[in-house]
Amino acid sequence: MLGCWRVTPCLSSEYTSGFCCRANNLQTHVNGVENKKKKKVVVVGSGWAGLGAAHHLCKQGFEVTVLEGGNDPESRKMLIPDDVGIHGFWYPYRNIFSLVDELDIKPFTNWTSSAHYSGEGLEVEFPIFQDLTQLPTPLGTLFYTQFVRLPLLDRLSSLPLMAAVVDFDNTDTAWRKYDSITARELFRQFGFSQRLYQDVFDPLLQVGLFAPAEQCSAAATLGILYYIVLAHQKDFDFVWCRGTVRDKIFKPWMDYMRANGCEFLESRRVTDFLFNEETGCISEVVCGREKYTADAVVLAVGISTLQDIIKNSAALSTREEFLKVLNLAGIDVLTVKLQFDRKVNIPKAVNTCSGFDDSCGWTYFDLNAIHDEYKDDPVTVLQANFYHANELLLLKDELIAAKVMHQLSKYIKDLENASVVGQEIERFPKSLTHFFPGSYKYMMRGSTSFPNLFMAGDWIVTRHGSWLQEKSYVTGLEAANRVVDYLEEGSFAKIIPVEEDEPHIQALRNLNRNLNDVKAQLPWSDYFLP
């Protein structure tokens, strides 16, 4: 089973510290029998983070209400940003794989190989790394990845980056050190060749962090590179959802929670929060004219949605931690699904690409090979996703489809004889998190200045070490643990930690920490700009 890992409780001092307010333990008496009234938790958001929090809390016996989406049908497309972002589920997603086992569902394909194309053609083929002899990191990734055009000298120019990988240990100090510079500057400082940067790393960042390297934080770059590429040889292996995330995972997951008493309310756009001035605790969540009482609240929405809530909320707009969020940014995504009039031979089902334009990374997928609903179709269905698609959203559908066909024809020769018989184009403005240089200082922690309001999402500061969908889900579990601690009821969710560093990386990191400690004791250590 994918989720067969040892689980350990994730309990930090954060969960055992005192709070200035505790929810009242209300009780009722029926026929002389004392019954505890269920405490109410409102979860705002129904993505990985929100559902993760709701899932654990309803199992602990709380009365959980999940508020979904906005007031119009189009806004429901924004409920699952993961469905328009990264589709793969990487080997280190230990908590998500454990969840899937718990739900007893089979939403994933087998482990999948992939390819990367530049404007010049095929650049890289990625094997299934776990099937190959295991080598110490990063040798396996470097040795087994099949570079079609990139010379060995260019590949070797990536090795000095391991010094930064060792130095970046996901601590607050490491984030503040590297977050102030761009990924491009990081690669330049550590001696990347021009070709390695242009043909491989910049394009991969454009589909991993969804923006060009000169617009990505070096800290975020090191974090995601280590988590899904460099920590262990097998970490870059991934499976694919055999349909949309909503259909294959979220719907059965939500049905499971409904069976456990969780209530889902659609088209509820949060406009404000009411709080008790004496305790500082949130007492009600306001959605227009409707109000929902709460003993605790989990706010698990994306950047742009939270910014809208803050701007409209009298309660949040006075708090510095929320005002800082207004400095954060989202990334535009465009999805293009094309149906052709015949079967087309596509070498790899999953592909990343560059060459569309300088600021836009993209991926394309053979849905016939991935999604169950298209497996037996006599025609070919392709989907292309474009990230940082600022320049594309305003174009007409016909022009977008023509541009996509022109680019795909460079990589898929059989398309020359195929015609498009159907197309579906969707725009998702500001739907993904932008980890730009300097963004870390504006990101929120899981706890807030409201004692019973907790945060979750892929942009929340956490020391777990995961990224993308796994990070969202883990922060949801962490928020649930904070609710359990605050309300003093239930058990903590067991969060599976990331796999330990390989021994040589552990030794290098210990040596690096010792050297940094020595440097910190030297005179003038804080004088120069780091």
Side-chain angles (χ1 to χ4, degrees):
M1 299 294 285
L2 286 172
C4 292
W5 284 283
R6 178 176 60 86
V7 295
T8 56
C10 180
L11 306 179
S12 69
S13 59
E14 217 174 346
Y15 297 142
T16 57
S17 60
F19 291 91
C20 67
C21 171
R22 295 287 183 185
N24 292 327
N25 190 11
L26 300 179
Q27 303 196 346
T28 58
H29 294 77
V30 180
N31 297 327
V33 179
E34 187 178 276
N35 293 313
K36 185 184 293 184
K37 184 176 181 180
K38 286 187 175 183
K39 292 180 179 177
K40 297 181 179 180
V41 182
V42 173
V43 177
V44 183
S46 58
W48 284 104
L51 294 183
H55 175 72
H56 182 70
L57 292 171
C58 69
K59 289 196 302 181
Q60 301 311 303
F62 296 107
E63 183 180 323
V64 180
T65 301
V66 179
L67 304 179
E68 299 185 81
N71 293 322
D72 60 272
E74 287 298 307
S75 69
R76 288 192 52 75
K77 296 177 183 177
M78 299 299 294
L79 295 178
I80 314 176
D82 305 272
D83 227 9
V84 297
I86 288 290
H87 289 249
F89 291 77
W90 272 262
Y91 190 93
Y93 284 17
R94 306 167 81 176
N95 289 281
I96 286 181
F97 291 147
S98 178
L99 167 71
V100 164
D101 286 345
E102 178 187 345
L103 298 176
D104 196 23
I105 57 177
K106 308 293 181 185
F108 297 129
T109 65
N110 294 324
W111 300 106
T112 304
S113 59
S114 61
H116 169 68
Y117 292 85
S118 71
E120 303 299 320
L122 179 64
E123 290 286 348
V124 184
E125 290 186 282
F126 298 100
I128 299 175
F129 289 96
Q130 62 192 287
D131 292 343
L132 304 170
T133 302
Q134 299 297 298
L135 299 177
T137 187
L139 299 181
T141 304
L142 186 66
F143 180 75
Y144 292 126
T145 300
Q146 300 164 31
F147 294 92
V148 177
R149 293 164 13 92
L150 193 69
L152 177 60
L153 187 61
D154 291 86
R155 286 176 257 163
L156 292 176
S157 71
S158 65
L159 286 176
L161 185 67
M162 284 303 296
V165 170
V166 168
D167 190 39
F168 183 82
D169 57 2
N170 199 43
T171 60
D172 184 70
T173 299
W175 267 92
R176 293 184 185 280
K177 177 179 178 179
Y178 286 96
D179 189 57
S180 60
I181 63 173
T182 69
R184 186 187 187 284
E185 178 62 16
L186 176 75
F187 296 146
R188 188 196 66 79
Q189 287 181 9
F190 284 89
F192 269 42
S193 74
Q194 180 79 359
R195 190 166 176 182
L196 176 67
Y197 171 77
Q198 287 185 341
D199 293 349
V200 179
F201 273 81
D202 185 38
L204 289 179
L205 269 190
Q206 290 189 41
V207 299
L209 289 178
F210 314 116
E214 67 266 18
Q215 298 183 36
C216 291
S217 156
T221 299
L222 290 169
I224 196 170
L225 279 179
Y226 189 67
Y227 178 64
I228 64 173
V229 180
L230 297 175
H232 309 88
Q233 178 182 302
K234 58 196 174 186
D235 284 348
F236 195 67
D237 291 341
F238 55 84
V239 293
W240 216 252
C241 198
R242 296 175 14 244
T244 66
V245 170
R246 172 164 287 277
D247 289 339
K248 293 295 183 180
I249 301 178
F250 281 18
K251 281 186 176 179
W253 192 9
M254 294 163 75
D255 289 342
Y256 177 92
M257 285 189 274
R258 287 189 182 97
N260 282 276
C262 186
E263 182 179 20
F264 292 88
L265 299 178
E266 299 181 358
S267 300
R268 299 300 198 277
R269 180 174 175 269
V270 173
T271 53
D272 208 345
F273 300 88
L274 303 182
F275 67 98
N276 185 315
E277 293 186 1
E278 291 184 4
T279 64
C281 294
I282 299 292
S283 57
E284 292 180 295
V285 180
V286 182
C287 297
R289 296 181 179 179
E290 297 178 306
K291 298 177 183 178
Y292 302 91
T293 59
D295 295 299
V297 179
V298 175
L299 195 47
V301 295
I303 294 293
S304 58
T305 300
L306 181 57
Q307 288 174 336
D308 288 340
I309 292 174
I310 293 169
K311 292 173 184 177
N312 293 318
S313 169
L316 302 190
S317 61
T318 61
R319 304 291 175 105
E320 182 182 1
E321 64 203 307
F322 289 98
L323 291 176
K324 285 182 176 180
V325 173
L326 300 179
N327 292 300
L328 297 174
I331 288 176
D332 297 337
V333 178
L334 176 78
T335 68
V336 180
K337 186 183 292 185
L338 300 176
Q339 182 178 5
F340 297 90
D341 61 351
R342 65 193 66 192
K343 278 289 186 182
V344 176
N345 179 40
I346 302 172
K348 296 286 186 182
V350 180
N351 306 271
T352 63
C353 308
S354 60
F356 197 88
D357 61 45
D358 291 336
S359 63
C360 179
W362 61 295
T363 53
Y364 75 87
F365 322 114
D366 178 5
L367 295 187
N368 298 82
I370 298 172
H371 286 193
D372 291 345
E373 67 174 299
Y374 300 117
K375 279 191 180 299
D376 299 323
D377 277 11
V379 298
T380 294
V381 182
L382 288 178
Q383 180 169 323
N385 291 352
F386 296 85
Y387 314 105
H388 201 263
N390 314 41
E391 300 176 21
L392 299 178
L393 293 194
L394 296 180
L395 299 181
K396 293 183 178 180
D397 287 0
E398 294 74 16
L399 180 56
I400 291 174
K403 287 170 71 73
V404 173
M405 269 297 296
H406 174 74
Q407 200 68 30
L408 285 173
S409 297
K410 295 181 180 180
Y411 309 143
I412 307 171
K413 299 304 179 184
D414 285 1
L415 283 183
E416 296 175 357
N417 301 316
S419 300
V420 176
V421 295
Q423 66 183 44
E424 182 180 335
I425 297 175
E426 294 184 283
R427 297 161 175 82
F428 300 89
K430 310 303 179 189
S431 60
L432 298 174
T433 303
H434 186 187
F435 294 94
F436 60 85
S439 58
Y440 178 73
K441 59 181 174 288
Y442 304 124
M443 294 180 183
M444 295 188 67
R445 273 53 178 172
S447 298
T448 72
S449 58
F450 296 97
N452 65 338
L453 173 61
F454 308 101
M455 309 298 296
D458 73 338
W459 57 278
I460 299 300
V461 174
T462 174
R463 300 302 166 210
H464 182 264
S466 53
W467 277 86
L468 303 169
Q469 305 102 308
E470 175 84 348
K471 180 181 178 182
S472 293
Y473 177 55
V474 166
T475 62
L477 295 181
E478 290 176 340
N481 283 348
R482 292 183 174 100
V483 171
V484 167
D485 181 75
Y486 169 73
L487 294 179
E488 297 183 313
E489 288 184 17
S491 301
F492 290 114
K494 295 178 180 178
I495 300 174
I496 306 172
V498 296
E499 189 176 353
E500 290 185 353
D501 295 333
E502 293 182 359
H504 65 292
I505 298 297
Q506 292 184 36
L508 289 171
R509 282 189 163 165
N510 288 333
L511 176 61
N512 183 66
R513 291 187 188 103
N514 292 334
L515 290 175
N516 287 335
D517 289 342
V518 171
K519 290 179 182 178
Q521 303 303 318
L522 295 176
W524 305 96
S525 60
D526 296 328
Y527 180 76
F528 295 102
L529 185 68

